[in-house]
Every structure is written in structure tokens, then in C-alpha cells.
Amino acid sequence: MRETIAAIATAIVPEQGSVGIVRLSGEKATAIAQILFHAPGQQPWDTHRILYGFIRHPKTQTIIDEALLLLMFAPRSYTREDVVEFHCHGGIMAVQQVLHLCLEEGAKLAQPGEFTLRAFLNGRLDLSQAESISDLVGARSQQAAQSAIAGLQGKLAAPIRHLRANCLDILAEVEARIDFEDDLPPLDESAIRSQLEQVLDNVTQLLATADRGELLRTGLKVAIVGRPNVGKSSLLNAWSRSDRAIVTALPGTTRDVVESQLVVGGIPVQVLDTAGIRETEDQVEKIGVARSRSAAQRADLVLLTIDAQAGWTVADQEIYDQVSADRPLILVINKIDLIDPAHPPDSPPFIQKTVHTAAAHHHGIDQLEQTILSTLQTGQLQAANLDVAINQRQAAALTNAKIALQQVQATIADQLPLDFWTIDLRMAIQSLSEILGEDVTESVLNRIFSRFCIGK
């Protein structure tokens, strides 16, 4: 029998949040609730009922909070165990006192993700659905949330189960010929080849969503770099539609990295407005320039911003040489409104993507976003037309399955005995099973669920 676990299931911030929830799951959950919760009148303690009452200290009978109690008995609960939730007033003190009383009455403090782990172990969710819950909680864009919902609804699990079933069918055909060769007609090798090719195509389509999934989960880090006074802060303000950065005519106004969180094409984007990169004797500005270079080196994409009036300068070339290694770069020619539009400045031939902006007037921002999406090749990432986007663990398992299936094809081509076919077929089946959690080690489960919040 598993211990009854308890945890605070909502974010707790002083003076914020109207409701705080303490959740219990396990055999003693209802008994603990009956000790702590007084429901006046004749309110029935039935499953899927909400009771009104007071939480009291069991020894002193001191009222801790006026609250609601939600009852969900097994198996019709999130964990398929008895689950109760104390819906207290928000803040810190009420929920912390209630949690402490639950622990005093025999509950154990839940580990991160332990509620969802129990839902998985009790068969309510497969492992891909459990991971989708974590993705949903951490989603930073509507597109990321929709992808997580699709995974929670089984839109990843369903094709994985179908692929696994196809592999099992192929394995059964092969093993039948090994065990009952004299009683069955010869193996249809061409049909087996066709089935393997179809499975491989489907695995490849799923793998194509890995990059998109990584972008949806972790987002994109973009650094705006350039010389002082080329309009980097104006570009950030126009893009974020705010006044995050100070804008003046004085060079070197931005002394540190200023951040803004945006969503572009459904992808979370962290934009870093950096200090102007130049040689300076000002010690504070030197620190800002060093941080600018560091931010550019950590960024996924660099927006090298130049002044349209000055054109491409020696200083711009030096900055390009410092920040362009091993990462995508877009040249932003700003202040285009201050020059003759018929004679825009030329871009260096080694720069592939250029955008013209007038950040002070909010012009060119749409083109900038489209160029960023083009750089990421999101159109190709969405070409599979799948709602889901796999994570790194799932991508690794699918890659192993793909390698195993390709090895089966090579084995057939080399005309090796049927026994050799089964080795890699079993490996492919095992890899697909790992995605659903049907063949996964305890250490892998611990690593996955340790990333969840404690109340989930």
C-alpha cells in the first residue's frame, strides 16, 4: 500500500491569489479530511461533492480557515486513489497550516510530480500524457498549450501504439515461420518490406516535430546587438509595444542587458537588448559591453542592428566578426525613414537576411517577425501537419526505433536468417514502448517526474 501524500497544489504568493489548495491522495485521505474538516448540517460525504465548512486544529479545535472540501473517491480521481482537496483562502498562512496538520495526521509530503506519477502507475495516463501535463503547466504560448493538450488527449500515444502494433504484427509473422516453417506458406518478403517502409515513414514524420517541440517548450533567445545609438532600444520598445528600454540621443544609454518576453508565430521569444558594443574607458559601460558579447554568444539568433544613415561601417564589421559564429544572424538596417527610400544602403554580400526598420515609428516589425520565422524554417517543421511535438526523451526513443528498423531492412537485404530479423524488431518495439512508459526503468521515471512542480 502506498502512503497517503499531501502537498500545496497552487502557487503561493503573499497577498495574491484568492484560493489556495492543499491536495491529498491515498487510502487515508478521506479519514484525514474527516479529522480536520467540520461540515455543518447534514452535508453528505459522497464522491464528487463539495462540502462547505471549517478547518479546525484537531486538538485545540481552533479554526484555521473557512474553506471548501472537494471529495473524489477512487477510481474516479486524478490518481485513481481517494483524493481530497482543501480549498482555502489564498496567501501563505492558511495553506501552510492546513498542510502541516495533514502531515501531523499521517500524510507524507509529496515529491515533485508524485500525484501524476501515481496517475501513471495506476494506469490513468501513459507516460506521454503525463509529460504533456508538465508541458501544459509550463506552456508560455497558446501554441505550446495546444500542443500539450493534444498530447494529453492521446494524439501522440495513438500513432505510437499503431506503429508498435505494426511492428508486433511483423514480428509475429517472422516468428511463426521460425517455429512452424513446415506448416505455413513461405513468408511474403515484399509485404514485410512494404510494412517496414510505411512504419519508417511514420517514425520519420514524428521525429520531424522534435525541433518544433523544443522551440515551443524552451522558446527562442534573440539578442539585439550593434554599435551605440543605432536604435536597439527603440527596436525593442517597438517590438514589445512597451517602454522597457530608455531611449535617448546619447550613445551608451543602455548599460546592461534589458529583457522582454514576446510570442512570435506561437513561439515564446526572449529578446535581449544589449549595450552598444564599442571600445570605451567608462568602467560601467565596459561591464555592459562585456555582458552584451556574452548575451550574443548565448543567443539562438542575433539581430545585428546598424544605422541606415551610416551604412555598414568598420565597427559593424568588427561586431559581426565577434557575434556571427555558429548562430543565425539577421541584419536590421534601422532608421530607414531618415534616408532616401529609393537608395537604401547595401548589405554585405555575406549576410543572407536583411530587414529594413524605422523603429521610432514602429515600421518594419511585421517583416522582422516573418524573417525570424523564415530563419527558423517553422514552415518545414509544421509540414508533417501533426498537432503534437515530441520532446527530447521521445525523440531519442524514436531515433532508436528508426535505427533498429533500418537495421531490419539491411538484414533482409543481406538475406540473413529470420532469427536475425527478430533481434532488431524487438529493439524497435521496446523503443516505442518506452515512449508510452510500458517498458521504462525506475530511474527514467524519477528523472521525468522530478521536473514537475510539487503539487502536480
Side-chain angles (χ1 to χ4, degrees):
M1 181 186 70
R2 298 192 187 101
E3 294 179 283
T4 298
I5 55 175
I8 298 172
T10 48
I12 303 301
V13 181
E15 300 180 6
Q16 295 186 27
S18 60
V19 177
I21 298 174
V22 178
R23 175 181 293 157
L24 292 93
S25 178
E27 192 174 73
K28 297 180 181 178
T30 305
I32 292 173
Q34 288 174 331
I35 293 172
L36 302 180
F37 193 83
H38 171 66
Q42 301 297 318
Q43 301 178 65
W45 285 64
D46 296 333
T47 187
H48 292 76
R49 297 286 298 233
I50 298 178
L51 309 183
Y52 161 78
F54 300 90
I55 302 170
R56 291 177 172 176
H57 193 290
K59 294 180 180 177
T60 66
Q61 294 301 301
T62 302
I63 294 178
I64 304 300
D65 196 12
E66 181 183 20
L68 299 175
L69 183 71
L70 177 60
L71 302 171
M72 293 169 284
F73 298 157
R76 295 173 58 204
S77 72
Y78 180 68
T79 61
R80 282 192 173 168
E81 301 173 339
D82 286 352
V83 171
V84 300
E85 291 181 351
F86 296 94
H87 289 232
C88 312
H89 286 93
I92 294 179
M93 292 310 301
V95 290
Q96 286 189 339
Q97 289 184 81
V98 173
L99 176 62
H100 181 70
L101 290 177
C102 290
L103 299 180
E104 284 189 341
E105 294 302 321
K108 177 181 75 74
L109 183 64
Q111 297 298 310
E114 191 169 357
F115 288 96
T116 306
L117 174 60
R118 291 193 176 193
F120 164 70
L121 294 175
N122 291 332
R124 185 182 179 275
L125 304 168
D126 65 46
L127 195 52
S128 70
Q129 291 174 306
E131 289 175 303
S132 294
I133 290 174
S134 178
D135 291 339
L136 182 59
V137 172
R140 293 188 287 156
S141 71
Q142 182 178 353
Q143 192 169 340
Q146 288 300 311
S147 177
I149 287 291
L152 183 56
Q153 292 176 332
K155 291 187 178 181
L156 173 61
I160 294 297
R161 286 197 177 93
H162 181 69
L163 293 173
R164 183 175 176 274
N166 286 344
C167 290
L168 284 169
D169 289 342
I170 297 171
L171 180 62
E173 286 287 327
V174 174
E175 288 190 330
R177 295 321 188 277
I178 295 173
D179 296 335
F180 308 104
E181 182 178 5
D182 297 333
D183 301 324
L184 295 173
L187 186 66
D188 188 345
E189 188 174 306
S190 63
I192 297 295
R193 288 176 182 270
S194 178
Q195 286 178 276
L196 284 172
E197 190 64 39
Q198 183 61 52
V199 172
L200 267 171
D201 286 346
N202 291 335
V203 168
T204 301
Q205 286 186 30
L206 286 170
L207 277 171
T209 69
D211 289 341
R212 173 172 171 259
E214 188 66 16
L215 280 173
L216 290 176
R217 292 180 183 91
T218 65
L220 183 73
K221 185 174 290 186
V222 177
I224 305 174
V225 303
R227 295 182 293 108
N229 211 33
V230 296
K232 299 184 300 299
S233 296
S234 296
L235 182 61
L236 172 66
N237 290 342
W239 196 3
S240 62
R241 296 173 177 82
S242 69
D243 294 323
R244 296 294 304 275
I246 299 173
V247 179
T248 73
L250 299 175
T253 303
T254 302
R255 297 298 184 94
D256 205 347
V257 177
V258 180
E259 298 185 9
S260 188
Q261 303 292 333
L262 307 173
V263 176
V264 177
I267 297 172
V269 177
Q270 179 187 17
V271 185
L272 310 176
D273 171 29
T274 65
I277 299 177
R278 66 173 178 177
E279 296 300 324
T280 177
E281 297 302 321
D282 186 305
Q283 292 301 313
V284 175
E285 191 175 355
K286 275 186 175 181
I287 295 173
V289 170
R291 290 182 178 179
S292 296
R293 293 192 177 105
S294 176
Q297 291 167 359
R298 299 193 313 270
D300 303 306
L301 174 66
V302 173
L303 303 183
L304 175 54
T305 308
I306 68 171
D307 188 331
Q309 294 175 294
W312 185 264
T313 67
V314 173
D316 295 323
Q317 181 67 50
E318 291 175 352
I319 295 172
Y320 174 83
D321 293 338
Q322 295 172 23
V323 304
S324 63
D326 301 327
R327 63 184 51 81
L329 181 142
I330 298 173
L331 178 64
V332 179
I333 302 179
N334 193 35
K335 304 184 183 180
I336 200 73
D337 56 310
L338 300 180
I339 66 169
D340 184 353
H343 299 89
D346 294 330
S347 303
F350 46 81
I351 292 183
Q352 298 179 348
K353 295 183 182 294
T354 301
V355 176
H356 296 130
T357 63
H361 302 287
H362 293 218
H363 293 164
I365 302 302
D366 290 342
Q367 183 191 359
L368 175 61
E369 292 189 346
Q370 290 301 318
T371 305
I372 290 173
L373 293 175
S374 173
T375 302
L376 295 174
Q377 297 180 331
T378 51
Q380 294 180 17
L381 291 176
Q382 294 172 346
N385 196 29
L386 295 172
D387 295 325
V388 296
I390 61 174
N391 60 31
Q392 289 182 341
R393 183 193 72 85
Q394 295 160 355
L398 278 170
T399 299
N400 290 336
K402 182 177 181 178
I403 293 171
L405 292 169
Q406 289 172 333
Q407 187 57 45
V408 177
Q409 289 181 322
T411 299
I412 296 173
D414 292 338
Q415 296 184 333
L416 294 177
L418 295 181
D419 301 78
F420 288 84
W421 300 22
T422 64
I423 297 172
D424 293 303
L425 277 169
R426 288 197 182 96
M427 182 63 68
I429 293 167
Q430 179 181 343
S431 298
L432 294 172
S433 298
E434 287 176 3
I435 297 174
L436 304 174
E438 295 175 5
D439 189 4
V440 68
T441 65
E442 183 177 351
S443 61
V444 170
L445 291 178
N446 290 338
R447 187 168 68 250
I448 292 170
F449 288 99
S450 66
R451 296 193 289 265
F452 283 56
C453 57
I454 289 180
K456 201 64 180 175

